[in-house]
Amino acid sequence: MRKVYLLVAVMTGLLVVSCESSTYDQVEGFVENPTYVTNIKPLIDNKCNACHAASVSDVAGGGTALDSYDSFRASVEYGSTLRDIDTTHTMPKNRAPLTKGQIKLIYAWKNTGFPQ
């Protein structure tokens, strides 16, 4: 009888986990046509600039300043920013990771041509 209960518990757990959305299609905080000023800059100010503002990047260990349109765009377009926040989850360091909606927002900004 214990085996039946254990099997039911495991199957229920698998069902719950499998129902979680792991795609970026159903996430809160996403907008279709994000702009730097309205959507991206507030995200960078909140999640990145403690280490990556030009005034603190060397002192805080961030190395790369991400506090301007040009610097963040270049880092997303040519650098490792998307890999670091989406694939390896190494950024932001010592802070809560970006949500799926925030990551999707950056991808949408990139895919729509980096509108200001």
Side-chain angles (χ1 to χ4, degrees):
M1 191 65 164
R2 292 181 104 186
K3 290 181 181 180
V4 172
Y5 287 124
L6 180 61
L7 180 62
V8 169
V10 169
M11 294 302 286
T12 302
L14 289 173
L15 179 63
V16 169
V17 171
S18 68
C19 291
E20 179 184 344
S21 174
S22 62
T23 66
Y24 292 126
D25 295 334
Q26 301 170 346
V27 290
E28 292 184 34
F30 174 71
V31 294
E32 286 294 322
N33 296 303
T35 65
Y36 178 79
V37 171
T38 303
N39 310 102
I40 303 300
K41 184 170 180 359
L43 176 62
I44 297 167
D45 289 345
N46 185 21
K47 292 286 194 171
C48 308
N49 282 343
C51 295
H52 290 283
S55 60
V56 298
S57 65
D58 289 332
V59 175
T64 302
L66 300 175
D67 58 350
S68 72
Y69 170 84
D70 291 331
S71 64
F72 192 71
R73 177 185 173 156
S75 183
V76 169
E77 192 169 14
Y78 305 112
S80 62
T81 296
L82 286 174
R83 182 199 68 213
D84 292 345
I85 62 173
D86 189 22
T87 307
T88 64
H89 304 287
T90 56
M91 293 293 154
K93 286 186 179 176
N94 303 317
R95 299 183 74 143
L98 275 66
T99 66
K100 290 178 183 179
Q102 292 168 329
I103 295 168
K104 182 177 179 181
L105 195 66
I106 296 169
Y107 276 109
W109 179 62
K110 176 184 177 182
N111 294 338
T112 57
F114 303 101
Q116 288 196 23

